[in-house]
């Protein structure tokens, strides 16, 4: 094929384009506050941004214009202080800017041989997290894409370990493998069970939504054979409730089972002196996860996955292949070996840089401040006769109802709020009753802003 006369070349000097892109990034990173923006319809995007992927290319200026003028405003700014739905993100300035360095550096994060410096720094962060949680110095793991992949990888390691133990004892495989978690555990555990083709044994929780040792004991009694792990949640996504981690861990240990703690959202609060006691018992974990892109002020996407005995994870996850053996057999620390992944971005590096910049103390203070705002707004909601707390907040999630409102009332209000640019607060529900919810992890989310959002319910 001969090149068309005006065809672009991917190796052409693109200095000017690079500067234009960096200028855009600089502008996006220096907003105070960033516009909330809003999703666009498919029709709108088809009209204004179609046919961008074609044989000849648009050229950088035109492509960048499509992004800045059409695509970017059609994406919500999840770091906007009024974005308090789902679990938002609120990366520090250092973490966000350093993510550009990760992008610019083409570091292969799967192996020590290729990425030693970056892998070392990531491991410093994992070792610090392990120490906060109370795992021994020999603990280790890897930053994976998200909590969903972190939970799956931990459970695969747990099952592999149980399988090896059975094989070593000359015992047959159980008819079905199973793990225990609570009814309030995250949907990613169901997804993991589906991928692994294992069953979930749901332990029941009390009115406070907390998993206890007794409930796990009861579930194990009913489960029969084939259980390979018990999963506790350190901060449920809906309510921010921390399970009784020591009780659950003690029961898991007594039964010789792998104990995994899903702390994707809430485990970050172990850093705050005010909430540290809630996490009593984390040191019993065989594995845990926490998502820096949730409450450790790092950009998407990163989940810290840590194992008490990393060798058990390696036995389950290391990939072998002719072209890989030089890496696999090196005896060095290869992050690929510790999760269901091979090629990987050093996605833990923005968090490392941010921690190295500000210090752990700044993180403790930021998390404590989020928790203070949560309690302030909960007090205001409690004092308002039109509002009702669904549960007392424990970490930084507040769930509440507006007296007399049905789902369509929440929907109309939520839509108006988004259009006003003040915030994103979507309807949620509990036990069939509609409600709404603030998840507060952004240092710029103030009580004053949340009061404005509450006031908007009265209009
Ligand atoms: C968010 C969350 C997950 C899933 O994490 P992703 O990073 O979204 O994949 C798992 N467990 C809990 C408790 C969570 O809050």
């Amino acid at each position: 094929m001969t090149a068309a006369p005006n065809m672009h070349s991917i190796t052409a000097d693109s200095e000017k384009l690079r500067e234009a892109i960096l200028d855009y990034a600089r502008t996006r990173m220096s907003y105070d506050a960033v516009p909330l923006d809003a999703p666009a319809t498919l029709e709108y995007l088809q009209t204004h941004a179609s046919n961008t992927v074609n044989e000849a290319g648009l050229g950088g200026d035109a492509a960048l214009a499509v992004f800045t003028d059409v695509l970017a405003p059609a994406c919500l700014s999840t770091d906007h202080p009024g974005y308090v739905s789902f679990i938002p993100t609120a990366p520090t300035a250092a973490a966000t800017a350093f993510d550009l360095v990760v992008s610019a550096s083409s570091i292969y994060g799967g192996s020590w041989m290729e990425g030693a410096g970056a892998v070392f720094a990531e491991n410093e962060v994992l070792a610090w997290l392990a120490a906060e949680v109370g795992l021994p110095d020999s603990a280790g793991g890897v930053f994976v894409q998200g909590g969903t992949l972190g939970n799956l990888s931990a459970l695969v390691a747990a099952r592999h370990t149980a399988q090896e133990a059975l094989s070593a004892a000359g015992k047959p495989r159980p008819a079905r493998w199973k793990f225990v978690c609570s009814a309030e555990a995250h949907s990613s555990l169901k997804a993991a069970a589906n991928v692994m083709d294992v069953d979930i044994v749901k332990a029941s929780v009390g009115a406070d939504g907390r998993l206890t040792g007794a409930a796990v004991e009861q579930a194990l009694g009913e489960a029969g054979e084939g259980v390979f792990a018990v999963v506790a949640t350190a901060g449920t996504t809906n309510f921010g409730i921390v399970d009784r981690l020591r009780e659950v861990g003690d029961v898991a240990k007594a039964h010789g089972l792998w104990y995994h703690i899903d702390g994707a959202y809430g485990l970050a609060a172990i850093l705050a002196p005010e909430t540290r006691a809630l996490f009593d018992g984390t040191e019993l974990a065989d594995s845990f996860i926490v998502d820096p892109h949730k409450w450790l002020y790092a950009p998407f996407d990163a989940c810290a996955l840590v194992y008490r005995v990393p060798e058990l994870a390696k036995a389950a996850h290391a990939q072998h292949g002719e072209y890989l053996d030089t890496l696999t057999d090196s005896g060095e620390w290869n992050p690929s070996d510790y999760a269901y992944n091979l090629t990987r971005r050093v996605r833990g590096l923005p968090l490392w840089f941010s921690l190295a910049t500000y210090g752990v103390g700044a993180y403790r203070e930021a998390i404590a401040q989020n928790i203070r705002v949560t309690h302030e707004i909960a007090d205001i909601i409690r004092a308002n006769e039109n509002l009702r707390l669904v549960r007392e907040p424990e970490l930084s999630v507040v769930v509440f109802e507006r007296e007399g409102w049905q789902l369509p009332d929440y929907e109309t209000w939520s839509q108006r709020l988004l259009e006003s640019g003040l915030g994103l607060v979507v309807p949620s529900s509990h036990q069939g009753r509609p409600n709404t919810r603030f998840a507060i992890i952004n240092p710029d989310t103030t009580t004053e802003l949340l009061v404005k959002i509450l006031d908007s319910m009265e209009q």
Side-chain angles (χ1 to χ4, degrees):
M1 215 166 89
T2 50
N6 61 348
M7 197 151 129
H8 302 282
S9 162
I10 59 168
T11 54
D13 176 28
S14 313
E15 174 104 30
K16 198 170 133 277
L17 176 59
R18 182 165 57 231
E19 289 310 311
I21 294 168
L22 289 175
D23 276 347
Y24 172 79
R26 203 172 280 118
T27 303
R28 173 61 179 81
M29 288 188 286
S30 54
Y31 276 124
D32 177 31
V34 65
L36 179 59
D37 293 330
T41 63
L42 179 60
E43 292 70 29
Y44 173 86
L45 293 173
Q46 280 170 337
T47 307
H48 294 90
S50 64
N51 196 29
T52 51
V53 179
N54 58 42
E55 201 61 32
L58 306 182
D61 292 343
L64 187 57
V66 172
F67 181 75
T68 59
D69 299 347
V70 183
L71 303 179
C75 299
L76 282 166
S77 300
T78 60
D79 54 346
H80 184 283
Y83 184 110
V84 288
S85 278
F86 313 111
I87 304 285
T89 194
T92 63
T96 303
F98 207 75
D99 205 43
L100 291 181
V101 175
V102 175
S103 292
S105 305
S106 298
I107 299 166
Y108 180 85
S111 74
W112 185 267
M113 194 255 260
E114 289 153 288
V119 171
F120 175 82
E122 285 188 309
N123 287 351
E124 290 284 289
V125 180
L126 295 173
W128 161 67
L129 286 170
E132 289 286 344
V133 164
L135 295 196
D137 290 348
S138 50
V142 56
F143 285 94
V144 295
Q145 170 266 325
T148 298
L149 196 53
N151 281 335
L152 173 67
S153 297
L155 289 167
V156 166
R159 180 178 60 181
H160 186 264
T161 302
Q163 178 63 59
E164 292 290 293
L166 280 187
S167 302
K171 291 188 186 152
R173 230 172 233 270
R176 294 290 297 168
W177 285 114
K178 302 162 193 172
F179 66 85
V180 174
C181 66
S182 97
E184 304 229 354
H186 189 264
S187 54
S188 56
L189 293 170
K190 176 95 186 303
N194 285 340
V195 171
M196 295 170 72
D197 188 26
V198 302
D199 295 336
I200 295 186
V201 180
K202 287 248 168 91
S204 55
V205 292
D208 61 358
R210 206 183 307 280
L211 182 62
T212 62
V216 172
E217 194 69 71
Q218 189 183 345
L220 287 171
E222 290 159 6
E225 60 152 29
V227 177
F228 66 90
V230 175
V231 181
T233 307
T236 58
T237 322
N238 282 336
F239 284 100
I241 301 294
V242 182
D243 289 344
R244 289 271 178 254
L245 300 177
R246 178 170 301 285
E247 290 180 15
V248 175
D250 281 340
V251 173
K253 298 291 100 175
H255 289 263
L257 297 171
W258 184 288
Y259 180 34
H260 176 64
I261 295 181
D262 177 359
Y265 149 66
L267 187 53
I270 199 172
L271 297 177
E274 295 84 345
T275 39
R276 181 156 194 117
L278 289 168
F279 298 90
D280 175 55
T282 51
E283 75 276 10
L284 299 172
D286 292 295
S287 55
F288 71 84
I289 64 162
V290 55
D291 278 1
H293 65 219
K294 285 182 171 167
W295 205 3
L296 287 172
Y297 313 110
F300 298 133
D301 44 22
C303 164
L305 163 62
V306 178
Y307 304 91
R308 170 182 299 276
V309 184
E311 293 72 24
L312 297 176
K314 184 174 179 176
H317 287 294
Q319 297 187 24
H320 299 277
E322 290 170 348
Y323 84 105
L324 288 173
D325 286 344
T326 183
L327 296 177
T328 314
D329 300 340
S330 68
E332 287 161 338
W333 184 274
N334 297 317
S336 295
D337 290 345
Y338 300 96
Y340 185 67
N341 63 179
L342 185 61
T343 299
R344 61 179 293 277
R345 174 184 179 82
V346 281
R347 54 170 54 81
L349 221 49
L351 174 59
W352 164 76
F353 185 77
S354 185
L355 284 166
T357 298
Y358 303 116
V360 171
Y363 274 68
R364 294 191 202 286
E365 173 47 31
I367 291 165
Q369 190 220 313
N370 291 145
I371 292 169
R372 280 198 295 276
V373 168
T374 305
H375 286 285
E376 281 170 20
I377 201 66
D379 289 345
I380 289 167
I381 290 169
R382 206 181 293 103
N384 184 325
E385 57 184 15
N386 289 330
L387 303 174
R388 194 182 73 82
L389 284 177
V390 177
R391 273 180 190 157
E392 286 299 317
E394 190 155 281
L395 299 180
S396 68
V397 177
V398 188
V399 185
F400 60 99
E401 294 176 358
R402 171 76 169 74
E403 292 296 342
W405 274 20
Q406 306 301 324
L407 184 58
D409 300 305
Y410 289 98
E411 285 169 347
T412 307
W413 161 72
S414 174
Q415 187 58 37
R416 260 196 292 121
L417 189 68
L418 175 60
E419 282 160 12
S420 76
L422 192 60
L424 179 82
V425 189
V426 299
S428 183
S429 71
H430 181 59
Q431 295 176 341
R433 288 169 65 103
N435 60 37
T436 193
R437 174 179 164 280
F438 294 156
I440 300 158
I441 57 96
N442 189 329
D444 293 332
T445 302
T446 59
T447 307
E448 294 71 41
L449 173 59
L450 295 174
V451 166
K452 273 192 205 157
I453 292 176
L454 290 181
D455 288 347
S456 73
M457 296 181 110
E458 303 307 321
Q459 286 147 24

